[in-house]
Protein backbone atom coordinates (compact mmCIF):
# COMPACT_ATOMS: atom_id res chain seq x y z
CA UNK A 1 0.00 0.00 0.00
CA UNK A 2 1.33 3.46 -0.84
CA UNK A 3 2.51 5.80 1.88
CA UNK A 4 0.41 8.60 0.42
CA UNK A 5 -2.96 9.72 1.76
CA UNK A 6 -5.41 6.89 2.44
CA UNK A 7 -9.16 6.66 2.04
CA UNK A 8 -11.00 7.62 5.24
CA UNK A 9 -12.51 4.67 7.09
CA UNK A 10 -16.11 4.10 6.08
CA UNK A 11 -15.84 6.04 2.80
CA UNK A 12 -15.82 4.40 -0.62
CA UNK A 13 -14.12 4.85 -3.97
CA UNK A 14 -16.72 3.37 -6.27
CA UNK A 15 -15.45 2.25 -9.68
CA UNK A 16 -15.65 -0.45 -12.30
CA UNK A 17 -18.67 -2.75 -12.17
CA UNK A 18 -19.68 -1.38 -8.79
CA UNK A 19 -19.93 2.10 -10.29
CA UNK A 20 -22.04 0.70 -13.16
CA UNK A 21 -24.38 -0.93 -10.66
CA UNK A 22 -24.62 2.28 -8.66
CA UNK A 23 -25.50 4.25 -11.79
CA UNK A 24 -28.06 1.63 -12.82
CA UNK A 25 -29.85 2.08 -9.48
CA UNK A 26 -29.88 5.87 -9.84
CA UNK A 27 -31.04 5.66 -13.47
CA UNK A 28 -33.92 3.35 -12.52
CA UNK A 29 -34.91 5.68 -9.68
CA UNK A 30 -34.90 8.68 -12.04
CA UNK A 31 -37.02 6.80 -14.58
CA UNK A 32 -39.57 5.55 -12.07
CA UNK A 33 -39.91 8.80 -10.09
CA UNK A 34 -40.91 10.51 -13.34
CA UNK A 35 -43.56 7.89 -13.98
CA UNK A 36 -45.02 8.70 -10.56
CA UNK A 37 -44.83 12.48 -11.02
CA UNK A 38 -42.20 13.20 -8.35
CA UNK A 39 -40.21 16.40 -8.91
CA UNK A 40 -36.46 16.15 -8.71
CA UNK A 41 -34.84 18.38 -6.06
CA UNK A 42 -31.24 18.93 -4.90
CA UNK A 43 -30.57 19.57 -1.22
CA UNK A 44 -27.63 20.94 0.80
CA UNK A 45 -25.19 18.37 2.22
CA UNK A 46 -25.17 20.18 5.57
CA UNK A 47 -27.72 21.98 7.70
CA UNK A 48 -27.85 23.72 11.06
CA UNK A 49 -27.48 20.94 13.65
CA UNK A 50 -30.87 21.81 15.15
CA UNK A 51 -32.60 20.75 11.89
CA UNK A 52 -31.65 17.15 12.65
CA UNK A 53 -31.69 17.14 16.45
CA UNK A 54 -35.20 18.62 16.52
CA UNK A 55 -36.69 16.54 13.76
CA UNK A 56 -34.95 13.17 14.06
CA UNK A 57 -34.97 13.40 17.87
CA UNK A 58 -32.26 13.45 20.53
CA UNK A 59 -33.03 9.91 21.72
CA UNK A 60 -32.36 8.21 18.38
CA UNK A 61 -29.06 6.48 17.54
CA UNK A 62 -28.64 8.76 14.56
CA UNK A 63 -28.67 11.96 16.64
CA UNK A 64 -27.10 10.66 19.84
CA UNK A 65 -24.22 8.69 18.29
CA UNK A 66 -23.95 8.94 14.52
CA UNK A 67 -23.93 12.58 13.42
CA UNK A 68 -20.96 14.36 11.88
CA UNK A 69 -21.30 17.65 13.71
CA UNK A 70 -18.75 20.46 13.58
CA UNK A 71 -18.40 24.13 14.24
CA UNK A 72 -17.73 26.14 11.10
CA UNK A 73 -15.39 29.14 10.96
CA UNK A 74 -18.24 31.44 11.90
CA UNK A 75 -18.91 29.45 15.09
CA UNK A 76 -22.21 27.88 13.93
CA UNK A 77 -22.93 24.25 14.72
CA UNK A 78 -23.45 22.40 11.44
CA UNK A 79 -24.11 18.74 10.69
CA UNK A 80 -23.52 16.69 7.53
CA UNK A 81 -26.94 15.32 6.60
CA UNK A 82 -27.50 11.83 8.04
CA UNK A 83 -30.73 11.59 5.94
CA UNK A 84 -32.81 13.75 3.60
CA UNK A 85 -36.20 14.08 5.27
CA UNK A 86 -35.27 16.66 7.90
CA UNK A 87 -33.64 19.01 5.36
CA UNK A 88 -36.59 18.66 3.00
CA UNK A 89 -38.98 19.62 5.83
CA UNK A 90 -36.75 22.59 6.66
CA UNK A 91 -36.91 23.70 3.01
CA UNK A 92 -40.68 23.17 2.98
CA UNK A 93 -40.81 25.89 5.65
CA UNK A 94 -37.93 28.19 4.73
CA UNK A 95 -38.47 28.18 0.94
CA UNK A 96 -42.23 28.57 0.92
CA UNK A 97 -42.88 25.12 -0.55
CA UNK A 98 -45.99 25.05 1.62
CA UNK A 99 -47.81 26.83 -1.19
CA UNK A 100 -47.07 23.89 -3.49
CA UNK A 101 -48.59 21.26 -1.18
CA UNK A 102 -49.31 18.48 -1.79
CA UNK A 103 -45.77 18.24 -3.03
CA UNK A 104 -44.10 15.11 -4.37
CA UNK A 105 -40.31 15.33 -4.37
CA UNK A 106 -37.40 12.96 -4.97
CA UNK A 107 -33.66 13.25 -4.59
CA UNK A 108 -30.54 11.16 -4.11
CA UNK A 109 -27.03 11.72 -2.83
CA UNK A 110 -24.51 11.19 -0.05
CA UNK A 111 -25.49 10.92 3.60
CA UNK A 112 -23.12 10.66 6.54
CA UNK A 113 -23.31 8.60 9.72
CA UNK A 114 -20.56 7.77 12.18
CA UNK A 115 -21.13 4.00 12.38
CA UNK A 116 -18.90 0.96 12.61
CA UNK A 117 -18.07 0.23 8.97
CA UNK A 118 -18.79 -3.24 7.59
CA UNK A 119 -20.22 -4.75 4.41
CA UNK A 120 -23.28 -2.73 3.47
CA UNK A 121 -22.61 -0.17 6.22
CA UNK A 122 -20.52 2.92 5.57
CA UNK A 123 -19.88 6.35 7.05
CA UNK A 124 -20.52 8.12 3.79
CA UNK A 125 -23.20 6.23 1.91
CA UNK A 126 -25.89 7.13 -0.58
CA UNK A 127 -29.64 7.22 -0.40
CA UNK A 128 -32.55 7.51 -2.75
CA UNK A 129 -35.33 9.53 -1.14
CA UNK A 130 -38.96 10.17 -2.01
CA UNK A 131 -41.41 12.27 0.01
CA UNK A 132 -44.98 13.57 -0.25
CA UNK A 133 -45.52 16.67 1.88
CA UNK A 134 -48.88 18.12 2.77
CA UNK A 135 -50.96 15.03 2.00
CA UNK A 136 -53.10 13.38 4.66
CA UNK A 137 -54.70 10.77 2.42
CA UNK A 138 -53.77 7.08 2.68
CA UNK A 139 -53.56 7.23 -1.11
CA UNK A 140 -50.24 9.07 -0.66
CA UNK A 141 -48.85 6.20 1.43
CA UNK A 142 -50.03 3.75 -1.21
CA UNK A 143 -48.49 5.76 -4.05
CA UNK A 144 -45.08 5.81 -2.33
CA UNK A 145 -45.24 2.09 -1.64
CA UNK A 146 -46.21 1.20 -5.21
CA UNK A 147 -43.38 3.46 -6.44
CA UNK A 148 -40.91 1.63 -4.16
CA UNK A 149 -42.22 -1.75 -5.28
CA UNK A 150 -41.90 -0.85 -8.98
CA UNK A 151 -38.37 0.43 -8.43
CA UNK A 152 -37.29 -2.82 -6.78
CA UNK A 153 -38.96 -4.79 -9.58
CA UNK A 154 -37.22 -2.80 -12.30
CA UNK A 155 -33.92 -3.44 -10.54
CA UNK A 156 -34.68 -7.16 -10.52
CA UNK A 157 -34.78 -7.18 -6.71
CA UNK A 158 -37.70 -9.48 -6.03
CA UNK A 159 -36.42 -12.78 -4.65
CA UNK A 160 -36.25 -12.86 -0.88
CA UNK A 161 -37.66 -9.35 -0.49
CA UNK A 162 -40.82 -8.66 1.51
CA UNK A 163 -42.71 -5.49 2.25
CA UNK A 164 -43.34 -5.42 5.98
CA UNK A 165 -46.08 -3.08 7.02
CA UNK A 166 -47.44 -1.78 10.28
CA UNK A 167 -49.56 1.03 11.63
CA UNK A 168 -48.64 3.26 14.55
CA UNK A 169 -52.15 4.69 14.67
CA UNK A 170 -53.13 8.28 15.38
CA UNK A 171 -52.17 10.31 18.47
CA UNK A 172 -54.92 8.85 20.65
CA UNK A 173 -54.13 5.28 19.60
CA UNK A 174 -50.46 5.76 20.12
CA UNK A 175 -50.84 7.25 23.63
CA UNK A 176 -53.03 4.36 24.75
CA UNK A 177 -50.74 1.74 23.20
CA UNK A 178 -47.66 3.42 24.66
CA UNK A 179 -49.15 3.26 28.18
CA UNK A 180 -49.99 -0.40 27.72
CA UNK A 181 -46.44 -1.10 26.52
CA UNK A 182 -44.88 0.75 29.45
CA UNK A 183 -47.05 -1.24 31.89
CA UNK A 184 -46.10 -4.48 30.16
CA UNK A 185 -42.37 -3.74 30.13
CA UNK A 186 -42.46 -2.47 33.74
CA UNK A 187 -43.67 -5.90 34.77
CA UNK A 188 -40.75 -7.46 32.81
CA UNK A 189 -38.08 -5.03 34.02
CA UNK A 190 -35.78 -7.80 35.20
CA UNK A 191 -35.76 -9.45 31.75
CA UNK A 192 -34.75 -6.34 29.77
CA UNK A 193 -31.31 -5.33 28.48
CA UNK A 194 -29.71 -2.13 29.82
CA UNK A 195 -30.43 -0.35 26.54
CA UNK A 196 -34.09 -1.24 26.73
CA UNK A 197 -34.34 -0.22 30.39
CA UNK A 198 -33.03 3.19 29.33
CA UNK A 199 -35.62 3.30 26.51
CA UNK A 200 -38.49 2.48 28.84
CA UNK A 201 -39.14 6.12 29.75
CA UNK A 202 -38.17 7.93 26.60
CA UNK A 203 -38.84 5.57 23.77
CA UNK A 204 -40.64 2.38 24.90
CA UNK A 205 -41.80 1.50 21.36
CA UNK A 206 -38.22 0.89 20.34
CA UNK A 207 -38.00 -2.07 22.73
CA UNK A 208 -40.37 -3.89 20.37
CA UNK A 209 -37.80 -4.05 17.55
CA UNK A 210 -34.78 -4.60 19.81
CA UNK A 211 -32.20 -6.93 18.29
CA UNK A 212 -30.89 -7.94 21.75
CA UNK A 213 -31.97 -11.56 22.38
CA UNK A 214 -32.50 -10.78 26.07
CA UNK A 215 -35.35 -8.42 25.10
CA UNK A 216 -37.10 -10.77 22.70
CA UNK A 217 -39.37 -12.69 25.11
CA UNK A 218 -40.77 -9.49 26.68
CA UNK A 219 -40.95 -7.80 23.28
CA UNK A 220 -42.69 -10.75 21.64
CA UNK A 221 -45.29 -11.03 24.41
CA UNK A 222 -46.02 -7.28 24.40
CA UNK A 223 -49.51 -6.18 23.32
CA UNK A 224 -50.05 -5.35 19.62
CA UNK A 225 -51.42 -1.97 18.67
CA UNK A 226 -54.60 -3.52 17.22
CA UNK A 227 -56.66 -3.45 20.41
CA UNK A 228 -55.95 0.28 20.80
CA UNK A 229 -56.68 1.47 17.27
CA UNK A 230 -59.35 4.15 17.06
CA UNK A 231 -61.94 3.71 14.31
CA UNK A 232 -60.22 6.41 12.28
CA UNK A 233 -56.77 4.88 12.64
CA UNK A 234 -58.12 1.47 11.68
CA UNK A 235 -59.92 2.93 8.66
CA UNK A 236 -56.69 4.62 7.56
CA UNK A 237 -54.72 1.39 7.75
CA UNK A 238 -57.47 -0.52 5.95
CA UNK A 239 -57.32 1.99 3.07
CA UNK A 240 -53.56 1.59 2.80
CA UNK A 241 -53.74 -2.21 2.67
CA UNK A 242 -56.73 -2.15 0.29
CA UNK A 243 -54.78 0.23 -1.97
CA UNK A 244 -51.78 -2.09 -2.00
CA UNK A 245 -54.03 -5.03 -2.84
CA UNK A 246 -55.65 -3.03 -5.66
CA UNK A 247 -52.22 -2.19 -7.07
CA UNK A 248 -51.08 -5.80 -6.77
CA UNK A 249 -48.30 -5.10 -4.26
CA UNK A 250 -47.70 -7.95 -1.82
CA UNK A 251 -47.23 -7.07 1.85
CA UNK A 252 -47.06 -8.74 5.23
CA UNK A 253 -48.04 -7.34 8.59
CA UNK A 254 -45.19 -6.90 11.05
CA UNK A 255 -46.74 -5.76 14.33
CA UNK A 256 -43.24 -5.28 15.78
CA UNK A 257 -42.16 -2.71 13.20
CA UNK A 258 -42.05 0.70 14.90
CA UNK A 259 -40.70 4.21 14.69
CA UNK A 260 -39.76 5.56 18.07
CA UNK A 261 -40.66 9.20 17.79
CA UNK A 262 -43.98 10.72 18.63
CA UNK A 263 -44.54 12.43 15.32
CA UNK A 264 -44.63 9.17 13.39
CA UNK A 265 -48.22 8.29 12.61
CA UNK A 266 -50.09 5.55 10.84
CA UNK A 267 -48.04 3.76 8.21
CA UNK A 268 -44.57 2.39 8.93
CA UNK A 269 -42.89 0.08 6.41
CA UNK A 270 -39.68 -1.63 5.41
CA UNK A 271 -38.69 -3.66 2.38
CA UNK A 272 -36.51 -6.36 3.91
CA UNK A 273 -34.28 -8.90 2.19
CA UNK A 274 -32.95 -12.17 3.56
CA UNK A 275 -29.83 -11.79 1.36
CA UNK A 276 -27.75 -9.20 3.23
CA UNK A 277 -27.46 -10.61 6.74
CA UNK A 278 -27.78 -7.97 9.43
CA UNK A 279 -27.99 -5.25 6.78
CA UNK A 280 -31.35 -6.57 5.56
CA UNK A 281 -33.40 -3.37 5.32
CA UNK A 282 -33.10 -1.98 1.81
CA UNK A 283 -35.85 0.64 1.84
CA UNK A 284 -37.65 2.10 4.83
CA UNK A 285 -40.19 4.80 5.50
CA UNK A 286 -43.47 5.87 6.90
CA UNK A 287 -45.80 8.69 7.73
CA UNK A 288 -44.43 11.54 9.85
CA UNK A 289 -47.36 13.89 10.33
CA UNK A 290 -45.78 15.78 13.25
CA UNK A 291 -42.28 16.41 11.91
CA UNK A 292 -42.81 19.80 10.26
CA UNK A 293 -44.43 20.98 13.49
CA UNK A 294 -41.38 19.78 15.45
CA UNK A 295 -39.36 22.19 13.28
CA UNK A 296 -41.67 25.05 14.24
CA UNK A 297 -43.99 24.90 11.23
CA UNK A 298 -47.73 24.36 10.89
CA UNK A 299 -49.32 20.91 11.12
CA UNK A 300 -48.28 19.18 7.90
CA UNK A 301 -49.12 15.54 7.20
CA UNK A 302 -46.35 13.87 5.21
CA UNK A 303 -45.01 10.49 4.24
CA UNK A 304 -41.78 9.28 2.63
CA UNK A 305 -39.07 6.68 2.25
CA UNK A 306 -35.34 6.31 1.88
CA UNK A 307 -33.28 3.49 0.43
CA UNK A 308 -29.56 2.75 0.59
CA UNK A 309 -28.13 2.81 -2.94
CA UNK A 310 -25.21 0.53 -2.01
CA UNK A 311 -27.54 -2.14 -0.65
CA UNK A 312 -29.78 -1.92 -3.74
CA UNK A 313 -26.71 -2.08 -5.99
CA UNK A 314 -25.50 -5.24 -4.24
CA UNK A 315 -28.87 -6.93 -4.84
CA UNK A 316 -29.55 -5.69 -8.37
CA UNK A 317 -28.73 -7.83 -11.39
CA UNK A 318 -25.46 -7.03 -13.15
CA UNK A 319 -25.96 -4.03 -15.43
CA UNK A 320 -25.13 -4.12 -19.12
CA UNK A 321 -21.40 -3.54 -19.50
CA UNK A 322 -20.32 -0.05 -20.39
CA UNK A 323 -19.45 -0.43 -24.06
CA UNK A 324 -18.97 1.76 -27.08
CA UNK A 325 -20.58 1.33 -30.49
CA UNK A 326 -17.55 1.79 -32.69
CA UNK A 327 -13.76 1.72 -32.21
CA UNK A 328 -11.44 3.77 -34.43
CA UNK A 329 -8.14 2.25 -35.42
CA UNK A 330 -5.95 4.84 -37.16
CA UNK A 331 -2.52 3.84 -38.53
CA UNK A 332 -0.12 6.65 -39.32
CA UNK A 333 0.11 10.33 -38.42
CA UNK A 334 -2.27 11.69 -41.04
CA UNK A 335 -4.79 8.96 -40.19
CA UNK A 336 -4.66 9.85 -36.51
CA UNK A 337 -5.51 13.47 -37.25
CA UNK A 338 -8.36 12.42 -39.56
CA UNK A 339 -9.58 10.06 -36.85
CA UNK A 340 -9.85 12.92 -34.35
CA UNK A 341 -12.24 14.68 -36.75
CA UNK A 342 -14.20 11.53 -37.42
CA UNK A 343 -14.45 10.71 -33.71
CA UNK A 344 -15.98 14.14 -33.04
CA UNK A 345 -18.48 13.65 -35.91
CA UNK A 346 -19.54 10.23 -34.63
CA UNK A 347 -19.99 11.42 -31.05
CA UNK A 348 -21.93 14.49 -32.14
CA UNK A 349 -24.20 12.13 -34.06
CA UNK A 350 -24.91 10.28 -30.80
CA UNK A 351 -22.70 7.30 -31.55
CA UNK A 352 -20.44 6.15 -28.69
CA UNK A 353 -16.93 5.96 -30.16
CA UNK A 354 -13.38 5.73 -28.92
CA UNK A 355 -9.92 5.06 -30.31
CA UNK A 356 -6.71 3.36 -29.26
CA UNK A 357 -3.71 5.61 -29.66
CA UNK A 358 -0.80 3.31 -29.05
CA UNK A 359 0.85 0.18 -30.40
CA UNK A 360 1.06 -1.66 -33.70
CA UNK A 361 -1.92 -2.65 -35.82
CA UNK A 362 -2.36 -5.94 -33.93
CA UNK A 363 -2.41 -4.25 -30.52
CA UNK A 364 -4.89 -1.64 -31.71
CA UNK A 365 -7.19 -4.28 -33.17
CA UNK A 366 -7.01 -6.22 -29.90
CA UNK A 367 -8.02 -3.13 -28.01
CA UNK A 368 -10.88 -2.51 -30.45
CA UNK A 369 -12.16 -6.06 -29.89
CA UNK A 370 -11.87 -5.74 -26.11
CA UNK A 371 -13.82 -2.46 -26.10
CA UNK A 372 -17.06 -4.34 -26.74
CA UNK A 373 -17.68 -2.27 -29.89
CA UNK A 374 -19.58 -4.04 -32.66
CA UNK A 375 -17.70 -2.24 -35.38
CA UNK A 376 -14.25 -0.86 -36.02
CA UNK A 377 -13.19 1.84 -38.45
CA UNK A 378 -9.69 1.20 -39.72
CA UNK A 379 -7.95 4.24 -41.12
CA UNK A 380 -4.66 3.82 -42.95
CA UNK A 381 -2.76 6.57 -44.77
CA UNK A 382 -3.34 4.79 -48.12
CA UNK A 383 -7.13 4.51 -47.65
CA UNK A 384 -7.16 8.09 -46.47
CA UNK A 385 -5.45 9.21 -49.66
CA UNK A 386 -8.36 7.59 -51.52
CA UNK A 387 -10.88 9.35 -49.24
CA UNK A 388 -11.96 6.07 -47.70
CA UNK A 389 -11.81 4.00 -44.54
CA UNK A 390 -12.44 0.31 -43.81
CA UNK A 391 -15.54 -0.48 -41.75
CA UNK A 392 -15.19 -3.85 -40.05
CA UNK A 393 -17.94 -5.83 -38.34
CA UNK A 394 -16.14 -7.18 -35.28
CA UNK A 395 -18.57 -10.04 -34.81
CA UNK A 396 -18.55 -11.50 -38.32
CA UNK A 397 -15.16 -10.12 -39.39
CA UNK A 398 -16.69 -8.78 -42.63
CA UNK A 399 -14.99 -5.66 -43.92
CA UNK A 400 -15.97 -3.04 -46.52
CA UNK A 401 -14.52 0.19 -47.85
CA UNK A 402 -16.66 3.24 -47.20
CA UNK A 403 -16.12 6.83 -48.37
CA UNK A 404 -15.23 9.08 -45.39
CA UNK A 405 -18.20 11.33 -46.10
CA UNK A 406 -20.59 8.38 -45.71
CA UNK A 407 -19.04 6.81 -42.61
CA UNK A 408 -21.39 8.16 -39.94
CA UNK A 409 -24.37 6.93 -41.97
CA UNK A 410 -22.75 3.55 -42.62
CA UNK A 411 -22.05 3.05 -38.91
CA UNK A 412 -25.61 3.98 -38.07
CA UNK A 413 -27.04 1.54 -40.60
CA UNK A 414 -25.21 -1.44 -39.09
P1 LIG B 1 -30.05 0.08 9.87
O1 LIG B 1 -31.04 -0.58 10.76
O2 LIG B 1 -29.47 -0.83 8.81
O3 LIG B 1 -29.01 0.88 10.61
P2 LIG B 1 -31.55 2.51 9.62
O4 LIG B 1 -32.82 2.22 10.30
O5 LIG B 1 -30.50 3.29 10.30
O6 LIG B 1 -30.90 1.14 9.04
P3 LIG B 1 -32.69 4.40 7.81
O7 LIG B 1 -32.32 5.54 8.66
O8 LIG B 1 -34.12 4.01 7.70
O9 LIG B 1 -31.83 3.12 8.19
O10 LIG B 1 -32.07 4.61 6.33
C1 LIG B 1 -32.70 4.11 5.15
C2 LIG B 1 -31.82 3.13 4.41
O11 LIG B 1 -30.47 3.59 4.28
C3 LIG B 1 -31.64 1.78 5.09
O12 LIG B 1 -32.72 0.97 4.86
C4 LIG B 1 -30.38 1.25 4.43
O13 LIG B 1 -30.67 0.71 3.16
C5 LIG B 1 -29.56 2.48 4.24
N1 LIG B 1 -28.53 2.65 5.28
C6 LIG B 1 -28.69 3.07 6.56
N2 LIG B 1 -27.52 3.18 7.19
C7 LIG B 1 -26.55 2.81 6.28
C8 LIG B 1 -25.12 2.75 6.30
N3 LIG B 1 -24.43 3.10 7.37
N4 LIG B 1 -24.47 2.36 5.18
C9 LIG B 1 -25.16 2.02 4.07
N5 LIG B 1 -26.51 2.07 3.97
C10 LIG B 1 -27.20 2.47 5.06
MG1 LIG C 1 -28.87 2.75 11.50
Amino acid sequence: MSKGPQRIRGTQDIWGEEADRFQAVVAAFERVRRLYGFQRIEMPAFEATAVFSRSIGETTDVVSKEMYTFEDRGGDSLTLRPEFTAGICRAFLSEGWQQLAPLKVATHGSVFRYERPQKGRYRQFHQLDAEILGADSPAADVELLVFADQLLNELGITDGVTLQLNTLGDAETRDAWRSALVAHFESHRDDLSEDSLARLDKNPLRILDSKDPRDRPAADSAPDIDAYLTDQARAFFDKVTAGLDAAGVAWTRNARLVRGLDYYRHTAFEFVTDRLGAQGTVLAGGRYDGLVEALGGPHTPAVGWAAGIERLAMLAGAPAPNTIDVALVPMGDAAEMAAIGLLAQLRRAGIAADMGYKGNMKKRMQRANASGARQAIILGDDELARGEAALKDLESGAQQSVPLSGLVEAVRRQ
Side-chain angles (χ1 to χ4, degrees):
M1 205 187 285
S2 110
K3 284 236 174 74
Q6 301 296 310
R7 185 165 50 75
I8 299 297
R9 197 165 128 82
T11 63
Q12 317 170 71
D13 299 313
I14 304 171
W15 55 281
E17 198 203 285
E18 216 183 321
D20 292 343
R21 285 171 176 274
F22 189 104
Q23 262 327 110
V25 171
V26 173
F29 177 66
E30 276 298 297
R31 203 167 55 235
V32 179
R33 67 101 185 145
R34 276 203 193 108
L35 297 176
Y36 284 76
F38 282 65
Q39 284 180 48
R40 175 73 204 199
I41 55 171
E42 306 301 331
M43 300 302 299
F46 52 83
E47 297 274 353
T49 299
V51 168
F52 304 113
S53 55
R54 278 161 69 183
S55 65
I56 304 175
E58 305 277 359
T59 60
T60 59
D61 284 354
V62 168
V63 172
S64 65
K65 300 188 237 175
E66 297 174 0
M67 291 204 308
Y68 276 93
T69 297
F70 60 98
E71 208 173 89
D72 76 357
R73 289 170 194 275
D76 295 323
S77 178
L78 305 181
T79 294
L80 301 184
R81 64 184 179 209
E83 54 141 65
F84 282 102
T85 313
I88 291 172
C89 289
R90 187 274 305 148
F92 187 77
L93 294 172
S94 69
E95 307 310 300
W97 293 357
Q98 295 164 72
Q99 292 163 28
L100 308 171
L103 180 66
K104 301 197 286 186
V105 291
T107 191
H108 88 276
S110 293
V111 295
F112 306 84
R113 295 184 191 180
Y114 193 80
E115 298 199 73
R116 197 167 67 77
Q118 52 196 289
K119 191 171 161 47
R121 195 173 288 284
Y122 310 95
R123 289 181 172 173
Q124 177 176 0
F125 63 103
H126 301 82
Q127 281 187 342
L128 308 174
D129 189 275
E131 315 278 351
I132 305 182
L133 295 130
D136 61 4
S137 162
D141 309 47
V142 172
E143 186 173 30
L144 275 164
L145 282 161
V146 182
F147 172 179
D149 178 76
Q150 181 165 346
L151 175 66
L152 295 179
N153 272 295
E154 294 209 0
L155 289 170
I157 305 177
T158 45
D159 286 359
V161 175
T162 39
L163 163 57
Q164 300 192 356
L165 190 67
N166 199 15
T167 175
L168 304 171
D170 49 20
E172 190 185 331
T173 303
R174 196 184 166 104
D175 287 347
W177 185 41
R178 190 182 194 279
S179 304
L181 285 174
V182 171
H184 170 82
F185 289 126
E186 286 288 357
S187 68
H188 289 82
R189 260 186 171 277
D190 298 343
D191 310 326
L192 294 178
S193 65
E194 302 79 44
D195 277 354
S196 286
L197 278 175
R199 287 185 193 122
L200 194 49
D201 289 333
K202 287 187 186 144
N203 209 341
L205 270 63
R206 278 328 291 245
I207 303 176
L208 287 178
D209 69 354
S210 166
K211 293 189 177 101
D212 191 318
R214 286 173 293 173
D215 294 323
R216 286 320 317 168
D220 291 335
S221 63
D224 287 349
I225 195 170
D226 298 55
Y228 304 92
L229 285 175
T230 60
D231 290 346
Q232 277 167 319
R234 185 177 300 280
F236 192 99
F237 191 51
D238 287 347
K239 285 201 176 126
V240 173
T241 57
L244 290 174
D245 294 343
V249 173
W251 57 277
T252 55
R253 176 78 191 276
N254 176 357
R256 292 292 172 263
L257 200 162
V258 291
R259 297 279 178 269
L261 297 164
D262 279 351
Y263 53 71
Y264 283 103
R265 291 278 181 277
H266 299 293
T267 323
F269 56 84
E270 288 182 2
F271 284 84
V272 181
T273 173
D274 56 14
R275 306 287 152 89
L276 294 178
Q279 273 63 252
T281 306
V282 290
L283 187 152
R287 182 164 274 284
Y288 52 90
D289 288 352
L291 202 161
V292 173
E293 258 170 304
L295 284 175
H299 175 71
T300 307
V303 53
W305 56 250
I309 297 181
E310 289 83 355
R311 291 188 197 174
L312 293 174
M314 280 193 281
L315 294 165
N322 223 338
T323 57
I324 53 169
D325 302 319
V326 55
L328 264 62
V329 185
M331 295 306 300
D333 291 344
E336 257 176 46
M337 201 46 73
I340 289 174
L342 191 54
L343 200 52
Q345 277 182 43
L346 286 162
R347 288 166 169 170
R348 285 175 192 142
I351 296 164
D354 217 339
M355 73 172 165
Y357 292 101
K358 290 212 177 74
N360 57 26
M361 180 70 176
K362 196 171 155 218
K363 277 241 170 69
R364 292 186 190 205
M365 281 314 293
Q366 277 171 352
R367 190 167 307 157
N369 277 304
S371 71
R374 285 189 21 247
Q375 303 173 77
I377 296 172
I378 304 162
L379 284 158
D381 285 345
D382 293 348
E383 284 106 328
L384 208 58
R386 292 198 303 271
E388 289 179 346
L391 181 60
K392 181 172 184 181
D393 183 316
L394 291 173
E395 276 155 34
S396 69
Q399 193 167 315
Q400 51 171 318
S401 277
V402 180
L404 288 176
S405 57
L407 257 177
V408 171
E409 267 318 302
V411 167
R412 218 189 244 134
R413 269 200 307 275
Q414 294 293 311

